[in-house]
Amino acid sequence: MRIYECADYRAMSRQAANVISAQVIMKPDCVLGLATGSSPVGTYEQLVEWYGKKDLSFARVKSVNLDEYWGLSGTHPQSYRYFMQEHLFDHVDILPENTYVPNGLAEDAGAECARYDRLIESLGGVDLQLLGMGRNGHIGFNEPGDCFELGTHIIELAPSTIDANKRFFASEDEVPRQALTMGIRHIMQAKKILLVVSGEDKADALAKALTGPVTPKLPASILRLHPDVVLVADKAALSRLDNREGVMTV
C-alpha cells in the first residue's frame, strides 16, 4: 500500500484526482468504480476543472458506482445517482449510457443485486476503484459484521452511518435505513484501489485498518490484502498512525 499524507482536504483532493486522471489518460476506455459522500467531492471538482481545461476526457470511460439508497429514485436530491450527476457526470463528457448506479427503486432487491454483479462482470471488472471510508471503517456500504459479504447486497445501515448521513437530510427520520452496495469481491477484484480519507473523526478507524487485524468488524482492513492500493489522506485522518514508515508527504 502506498500512503500519501496531504496537508488538508484540498491537497488530498488534488492528489486523488491525479491518480484518477492518470488512469484515464493511460487507458481512455477504463472502467472507474466511483464513490459518493463528502470525501470525494473535492476530487470530482478537480477532475471537472481539468476537463474544462481540456486536459482530460471521459468520452470512452465507463463508471460503476458502489451503492445507492434503497427506496430512493435517481431523481431524489439525496440519491447517489443525483449526487453523481451534480458533482461529475453533468460537467464532463462521459456518456450517460456508460454510467451505472444500482437502482434504488427496483421491485426485487435480490434480483437487482444479481443484475449489478453481472453488469460489473460484463464490463470486465473495475480498473480503478475509488473508495471513501466511514467512521466505523465501512467501505461502500459494507458495514461491520461477522463476515465479508462478497456480492452486491442489500444492507441495514449501522446507526453510526445513519448519524453521519443525517446532515444531508431534513431530519434523521428521513435517512433511508437500507442501501444496495457492491460487495467486497468486486471491490477487491479491482485492478487498483484509491482510498481517500479526511478528518480526525476517521483517524482511529483508519489507524486500526492499517495496523490491526484484518476483520469484517472493520471492513476497510481487508484492503491491506490487495496488491495495489493507494491511500490518500489528510494529516488529520493520519494523526493516530504511530508507524510512519513509508508514508509520503505531498
Side-chain angles (χ1 to χ4, degrees):
M1 181 182 292
R2 285 169 288 162
I3 303 176
Y4 294 95
E5 181 183 73
C6 304
D8 52 26
Y9 178 82
R10 183 175 181 179
M12 178 199 77
S13 299
R14 186 179 180 87
Q15 181 65 25
N18 276 330
V19 176
I20 296 173
S21 63
Q23 173 66 60
V24 174
I25 290 168
M26 289 188 298
K27 187 178 179 183
D29 61 345
C30 64
V31 177
L32 296 178
L34 299 179
T36 53
S38 56
S39 296
V41 168
T43 299
Y44 293 145
E45 289 176 352
Q46 184 65 74
L47 292 172
V48 169
E49 179 182 330
W50 286 338
Y51 167 75
K53 293 178 179 178
K54 303 187 185 304
D55 294 334
L56 201 57
S57 172
F58 295 85
R60 297 170 59 193
V61 168
K62 295 181 175 65
S63 71
V64 289
N65 261 76
L66 281 167
D67 40 34
E68 179 60 283
Y69 284 121
W70 180 244
L72 295 191
S73 73
T75 58
H76 190 288
Q78 299 306 329
S79 74
Y80 288 151
R81 162 61 76 175
Y82 190 96
F83 175 101
M84 292 306 307
Q85 297 296 146
E86 183 179 47
H87 290 286
L88 183 65
F89 296 158
D90 286 346
H91 308 289
V92 298
D93 58 346
I94 194 168
L95 298 176
E97 61 267 28
N98 286 340
T99 64
Y100 302 99
V101 181
N103 179 8
L105 291 184
E107 292 184 7
D108 185 324
E112 173 61 11
C113 292
R115 181 197 70 83
Y116 207 65
D117 281 340
R118 291 193 300 271
L119 167 67
I120 296 169
E121 290 160 7
S122 74
L123 296 173
V126 174
D127 290 298
L128 171 65
Q129 177 65 60
L130 172 64
L131 297 174
M133 188 195 73
R135 293 183 301 196
N136 63 1
H138 74 244
I139 48 177
F141 272 133
N142 291 279
E143 298 279 17
D146 295 327
C147 65
F148 290 112
E149 293 279 356
L150 298 183
T152 302
H153 57 286
I154 189 164
I155 186 78
E156 297 286 337
L157 300 183
S160 61
T161 301
I162 294 170
D163 181 67
N165 290 349
K166 68 183 181 183
R167 69 189 186 276
F168 301 117
F169 293 82
S171 71
E172 183 175 330
D173 291 340
E174 293 186 17
V175 183
R177 266 44 184 178
Q178 294 178 301
L180 301 173
T181 184
M182 190 187 299
I184 293 296
R185 181 176 73 247
H186 284 121
I187 291 173
M188 291 297 287
Q189 286 178 345
K191 296 178 181 68
K192 180 188 289 288
I193 293 175
L194 170 61
L195 176 64
V196 293
V197 187
S198 175
E200 190 175 1
D201 60 334
K202 298 180 180 179
D204 187 56
L206 182 59
K208 290 177 180 176
L210 294 177
T211 62
V214 173
T215 170
K217 297 186 185 303
L218 190 67
S221 65
I222 198 172
L223 299 178
R224 302 210 323 262
L225 303 181
H226 192 281
D228 191 359
V229 176
V230 178
L231 166 61
V232 181
D234 60 19
K235 291 181 69 173
L238 287 169
S239 60
R240 304 280 177 84
L241 186 64
D242 294 328
N243 184 357
R244 309 280 302 175
E245 184 178 354
V247 177
M248 293 173 279
T249 302
V250 294

